[in-house]
Amino acid sequence: MDLRPFMERWHMLPPSGGVMLVAVSGGRDSVCLLHYLAVMPRDFTVAAAHLNHGQRPTAGRDAAFVEELCRELDVPLTVERADVPALARERGVGLEEAGRMARYDFFRRTADRLGAQRIATAHHAADQAETVVLNLVRGTGMQGLAGIPPVRGRIVRPLLETSREDIETYLETHRLSHVEDETNRDTALGRNRLRREVMPGLLSLHPGAAANICRTAELLRQEDAFLDSLAADYLPAAGLTAGRQRLRSAPEVLRLRALRLLAERLPVGKKDFTAAHYRALSDLLEGGGMLTLPAGACAVCRDGKLTLLPSEPPLGPMVLHPGENVWGEYTISVRKTAGNFSQKSDTIVLNCDKIDGALSVGPYTGGQRLTLPGSRGGRSVKRLLADRGVPPELRQRVPVLCVGDRPAAVWGVGTDMEFLPEESGQNMEITVTTNGGNHNG
């Protein structure tokens, strides 16, 4: 078994003096990969990582096996334990997906700590064929039929063109033992049922079924990458905003791809998006407005632009103290002044005599109202923000200054008449700046 040509073709090898982190479960495939990389002539360091999911009674056995294997190979090992059921509950996903998320988070954190340029996983040709078939029966586009990529960022898969038979032969040749995950025999799990019942049937139809599926996936991967390059021309090089008319001018097949590429720039799992989301984004280009997306993100189409906005944690109320206060992306400076007061657009000035409770900042709430100078009465903060062109998705980020439970001023909107400053006496000067400097909303 010679993996070097495949690894060199896909630029999987770390630079000279670099580090390759190998994900090792203790199963046959990862044992084969770790041993191959550890004993091959190389000018880089090999390290290993093992995540104990804690879901099986034999999980401790697997960790101990990997520790002994790494000692024999003189490979440094990092072991961590994860509470996968808790993660599944927290993220609202199944155990299988939660386990995958925990693994890759662990691998990336470990790679960062070790300075590893590559993270190697032991996916092989049979895994590739199974993935393509699973995606096909679930319903997928070209990207799903292209299967598992050999390289994705730092993650590399040196065994992706290696058959299960070749892996077995390698283990026998080098007299390597491994551990068996007993859940692999549970045909209640979709992939196990595919592996044990469906794939043997396909092999009986054609002995080269698995290899042929892998070759088809490779061809589709090349075509998929080419179409993505065409679709990318309809997007800016970076950022989450794209021109509405430019996207509308794309043929539908490229428009949907461009929208997928734009959505992939969000810090949201790709599995959270479906074809229905890209269709909805395409419809948004026609009608304009706002669209809710997975994981709390949203899309806004107005003023000739489509903008995707990642989810942001809600900002709660916070008491303000003299000096600098940080609230979300804002720095809010508070100081007392006497006599003349600032007229700067980024500064709010309140009459100290009217501040008879705690001074705080927070997002607007449904019942808040302001009576602005020159108005005929109070108006809701929501309506005032809308009148000033603040889009709905940003209104909860606008600072509302309160005295006790009463709104005294809204940044970029104005100050309630009750709290207006006076030329004489003491006033409270509140300056609001963002990370980008002064901003008047």
Side-chain angles (χ1 to χ4, degrees), residues 348-350 369-373 378-379 406-410 414-421:
I348 296 167
V349 183
L350 304 179
R369 300 175 70 83
L370 283 185
T371 301
L372 298 179
R379 301 186 71 195
R406 295 172 295 163
V410 177
T415 301
D416 189 274
M417 290 183 64
E418 181 182 351
F419 296 92
L420 288 175

Side-chain angles (χ1 to χ4, degrees), residues 294-316:
C298 70
V300 179
C301 187
R302 62 165 63 95
D303 300 327
K305 292 185 247 182
L306 173 71
T307 300
L308 305 187
L309 297 166
S311 172
E312 293 182 323
L315 295 173

Side-chain angles (χ1 to χ4, degrees), residues 91-104 108 123 127 130-132 134-136 138-140 143-145 147-149 152 157 191 260 263-278 293-295:
R91 301 286 181 88
V93 297
L95 286 174
E96 187 176 358
E97 176 64 10
R100 187 193 68 81
M101 293 166 68
R103 284 193 300 277
Y104 281 98
R108 290 188 179 98
H123 294 91
D127 292 325
E130 291 162 8
T131 297
V132 172
L134 269 179
N135 288 342
L136 177 63
R138 289 169 176 167
T140 187
Q143 189 178 42
L145 293 176
I148 307 168
R152 179 180 286 146
R157 299 177 171 101
R191 185 175 283 272
R260 173 178 57 78
E264 286 177 358
R265 298 177 184 180
L266 286 167
V268 177
K270 290 175 67 174
K271 289 180 179 290
D272 293 327
F273 276 83
T274 67
H277 291 111
Y278 306 129
L293 296 172

Side-chain angles (χ1 to χ4, degrees), residues 67-98:
E67 288 172 357
E68 179 59 29
L69 175 65
C70 289
R71 273 194 295 270
E72 292 174 2
L73 295 174
D74 195 24
V75 169
L77 170 67
T78 300
V79 178
E80 188 170 289
R81 185 184 177 95
D83 188 342
V84 173
L87 180 63
R89 291 191 297 272
E90 176 188 328
R91 301 286 181 88
V93 297
L95 286 174
E96 187 176 358
E97 176 64 10

Side-chain angles (χ1 to χ4, degrees), residues 125-187:
D127 292 325
Q128 177 72 296
E130 291 162 8
T131 297
V132 172
V133 174
L134 269 179
N135 288 342
L136 177 63
V137 298
R138 289 169 176 167
T140 187
M142 187 180 289
Q143 189 178 42
L145 293 176
I148 307 168
V151 177
R152 179 180 286 146
R154 283 187 293 176
I155 297 175
V156 300
R157 299 177 171 101
L159 293 173
L160 200 58
E161 287 190 348
T162 303
S163 69
R164 186 173 281 127
E165 292 73 22
D166 286 345
I167 291 172
E168 291 280 6
T169 299
Y170 184 91
L171 296 178
E172 292 172 6
T173 301
H174 294 275
R175 298 178 181 176
L176 296 170
S177 59
H178 62 277
V179 293
E180 289 284 354
D181 180 349
E182 59 274 14
T183 63
N184 287 338
R185 297 190 293 270
D186 182 4
T187 54

